[in-house]
Amino acid sequence: MKVININNLTKSYGNARGITNVSFHVEEGEIFGFIGPNGAGKSTTIRTLLSLIYPTSGKAEIFGKDCIEFAPEIAKQVGYLPSEVFYYDNMKVIDLLKYSASFYKKDCGKRIKELAEIMDLDLKKKIDDLSLGNKKKVGIVQGLLHEPKLIILDEPTSGLDPLMQQRFFDLLLEENKKGATILFSSHILSEVQRLCDRVAIIKEGKIVTVEKISTLKENNYKKFKIETKETAEQDFFNIAGVDNLNVADHSVSFLFRGDINIVMKKIAEVEIANLWIEEPDLEEIFMHYYEKEV
């Protein structure tokens, strides 16, 4: 079942960049990554999906229901953490969370305490007295307290220290095991690589590719690093399938996609001191997509 289904979603802001013909879907039980640098269109896509802003054209569905027509009904089953959280400063954390829980017409008291303990959040403090990181923790608890079927996270780890990030990732994996579907938007590629099954890469408001992480890493590219006995020639490995070529003295590195026999024959023509062939990390693949023209 497609929990999220987005078809040709477009949001125009006149001359300012919005999103253009964005299409992807998220399967039930999936942790789906949505990556691109700040300003690429991630938040616009998410806000349009949640009917916080309306699309210029195109359509989006959650749980098979139109996002605009059924927005109040859908919201009961969705947990959302925006990239920036803003609250009433004079409220205590517990009062804010109880107020949030009241919208779902269910007793969330036990779950609030569980989540606050996991995230090391002091429920008695006033919002005004919290650091940026602790305000983000409030947002995390607020987004998960009603045990939503779909969790949508927009740059969720900004402000969290490494220990809290790890706890948060563990919490997400636990929610996923219980059946929650997760849309995880980030510009931090290691997070996406660690958590997600599939990923959509967005550039300048347009989807560049939608792939399994395993496909991006394993099937498409290999990372070569070669130490040569003689000074490497700049253009020697300038062959079809080679990207991100770097040549310096006795060192050559590049990404390669295609028939590996071609590049191995080329390597055989050189006196080499050492050779490494690895899977590239997601960041290297990501930069490749960003350097290409779409």
Side-chain angles (χ1 to χ4, degrees), residues 196-211:
C196 299
D197 309 311
R198 289 190 305 133
V199 62
I201 297 176
I202 189 168
K203 173 185 178 180
E204 296 176 358
K206 297 177 183 177
I207 297 295
V208 178
T209 189
V210 180
E211 291 273 17

Side-chain angles (χ1 to χ4, degrees), residues 45-72:
T45 302
I46 287 171
R47 288 170 187 155
T48 309
L49 176 65
L50 292 169
S51 290
L52 299 174
I53 54 178
Y54 285 178
T56 306
S57 61
K59 188 176 181 182
E61 294 177 339
I62 293 178
F63 308 126
K65 296 174 182 176
D66 183 85
C67 286
I68 297 173
E69 187 179 350
F70 296 97

Side-chain angles (χ1 to χ4, degrees), residues 157-172:
T157 61
S158 59
L160 296 181
D161 64 45
L163 174 63
M164 282 301 125
Q165 286 183 22
Q166 184 56 53
R167 286 195 191 179
F168 176 56
F169 293 147
D170 290 343
L171 176 58
L172 289 181

Side-chain angles (χ1 to χ4, degrees), residues 4-10 19-26 32 34 45 57-60 198-202 205-211:
I4 295 174
N5 195 21
I6 299 175
N7 284 308
N8 295 319
L9 204 60
T10 297
I19 55 173
T20 306
N21 294 328
V22 167
S23 297
F24 63 84
H25 71 272
V26 181
F32 188 92
F34 189 35
T45 302
S57 61
K59 188 176 181 182
R198 289 190 305 133
V199 62
I201 297 176
I202 189 168
K206 297 177 183 177
I207 297 295
V208 178
T209 189
V210 180
E211 291 273 17

Side-chain angles (χ1 to χ4, degrees), residues 134-167:
N134 280 317
K135 284 181 180 176
K136 183 57 71 102
K137 291 180 192 177
V138 174
I140 290 167
V141 176
Q142 186 181 32
L144 300 179
L145 57 80
H146 57 299
E147 298 178 276
K149 291 180 181 176
L150 172 62
I151 301 167
I152 297 178
L153 308 162
D154 192 359
E155 301 283 356
T157 61
S158 59
L160 296 181
D161 64 45
L163 174 63
M164 282 301 125
Q165 286 183 22
Q166 184 56 53
R167 286 195 191 179

Side-chain angles (χ1 to χ4, degrees), residues 49 56 85 94 124 165 167-168 173 185 188 213 233 251 261 277:
L49 176 65
T56 306
V85 287
I94 186 63
K124 295 175 184 175
Q165 286 183 22
R167 286 195 191 179
F168 176 56
L173 290 170
S185 166
I188 302 171
I213 294 263
E233 293 180 24
S251 176
N261 292 295
I277 304 174

